[in-house]
Amino acid sequence: GAVVSQHPSRVICKSGTSVKIECRSLDFQATTMFWYRQFPKKSLMLMATSNEGSKATYEQGVEKDKFLINHASLTLSTLTVTSAHPEDSSFYICSARRVGSSDEQYFGPGTRLTVT
Amino acid sequence: GENVEQHPSTLSVQEGDSAVIKCTYSDSASNYFPWYKQELGKRPQLIIDIRSNVGEKKDQRIAVTLNKTAKHFSLHITETQPEDSAVYFCAARRYYGGSQGNLIFGKGTKLSVKP
């Protein structure tokens, strides 16, 4: 159990366009989902925490109007990168915390975003 | 806020030897410490975790120790194998009873196990 999926796995978009990334918990319900960004050979940088049915909490320095997060159900959270620029190119990974669990987080496979 | 330091950044060992990765944290209220293994281009996988009420935990060739007084915890891999080669991340999380905290990650250690 505890499988998290992400879609798409890779996406290439042009500057100025928006792209949506989906994160799904497949076999469990997740009250909380997290969005991370990872640069090559670097650590995981938390962007925001998403709770089902409420507004996401963004980390300092992360533009909430640029990285729109929606957590509409206990199994789905989406991250939309709006007006993408080449510097937004990165590996975006979500993780989910199971309902009733205070600790374990399970990661999705990540989405490689390339903005041209 | 919490700050997690991880050392070394790279580690190369011969197959069969042991590997040790160390992390320190700053927030004494942190109470959950997981370790993740990330292979190139793949998702981080939870390999072992420890909570603050325990000093040591072992799972086959992997063990984690926690020293709350010194605020450091370590990952120990014995009898290393080439498939252990990956980047390992430590993390620390503070639990605010009723409002759950976030995982703060170390910068990672690239482990290479040479056959």
Side-chain angles (χ1 to χ4, degrees), chain A residues 3-5 32 34 36 38 42-44 46 49 59 91 93 97 101-109, chain B residues 31-32 36 38 41-46 49 51 89 93 95 100-108 110:
Chain A
V3 177
V4 178
S5 71
T32 305
F34 305 86
Y36 293 85
Q38 188 175 34
K42 297 294 184 183
S43 189
L44 295 147
L46 180 65
T49 302
E59 294 300 300
F91 194 53
I93 308 179
R97 182 184 290 154
S101 168
S102 60
D103 294 329
E104 293 89 0
Q105 284 180 218
Y106 302 95
F107 282 86
Chain B
N31 59 5
Y32 174 65
Y36 287 86
Q38 186 178 30
K42 297 189 176 180
R43 76 185 81 195
Q45 297 270 19
L46 178 67
D49 57 14
R51 291 170 177 78
F89 292 99
R93 192 177 77 84
Y95 177 61
Q100 298 163 347
N102 302 314
L103 286 179
I104 304 299
F105 285 86
K107 292 188 183 301
K110 183 177 180 180

Side-chain angles (χ1 to χ4, degrees), chain A residues 2-113:
Chain A
V3 177
V4 178
S5 71
Q6 263 182 260
H7 178 79
S9 57
R10 292 177 179 270
V11 58
I12 300 173
C13 70
K14 294 187 176 181
S15 289
T17 62
S18 296
V19 60
K20 180 186 286 187
I21 303 169
E22 291 185 349
C23 177
R24 294 181 185 272
S25 55
L26 297 184
D27 53 357
F28 67 100
Q29 293 185 323
T31 46
T32 305
M33 289 185 172
F34 305 86
W35 286 95
Y36 293 85
R37 185 172 178 176
Q38 188 175 34
F39 292 101
K41 300 182 180 180
K42 297 294 184 183
S43 189
L44 295 147
M45 184 190 79
L46 180 65
M47 298 174 65
T49 302
S50 164
N51 289 295
E52 186 265 338
S54 63
K55 290 184 179 180
T57 301
Y58 290 82
E59 294 300 300
Q60 192 172 9
V62 178
E63 297 176 62
K64 61 181 180 181
D65 294 331
K66 179 170 185 61
F67 299 99
L68 301 178
I69 292 172
N70 183 278
H71 193 159
S73 76
L74 286 173
T75 59
L76 173 64
S77 176
T78 61
L79 167 69
T80 301
V81 182
T82 63
S83 187
H85 290 110
E87 56 265 33
D88 297 326
S89 299
S90 191
F91 194 53
Y92 293 87
I93 308 179
C94 71
S95 73
R97 182 184 290 154
R98 188 198 301 261
V99 169
S101 168
S102 60
D103 294 329
E104 293 89 0
Q105 284 180 218
Y106 302 95
F107 282 86
T111 296
R112 173 73 58 192
L113 171 64

Side-chain angles (χ1 to χ4, degrees), chain B residues 69-88:
Chain B
T69 303
K71 290 190 283 189
H72 66 68
F73 55 112
S74 301
L75 177 71
H76 304 253
I77 306 174
T78 58
E79 301 173 28
T80 54
Q81 300 166 2
E83 50 265 38
D84 294 330
S85 298
V87 178
Y88 292 80

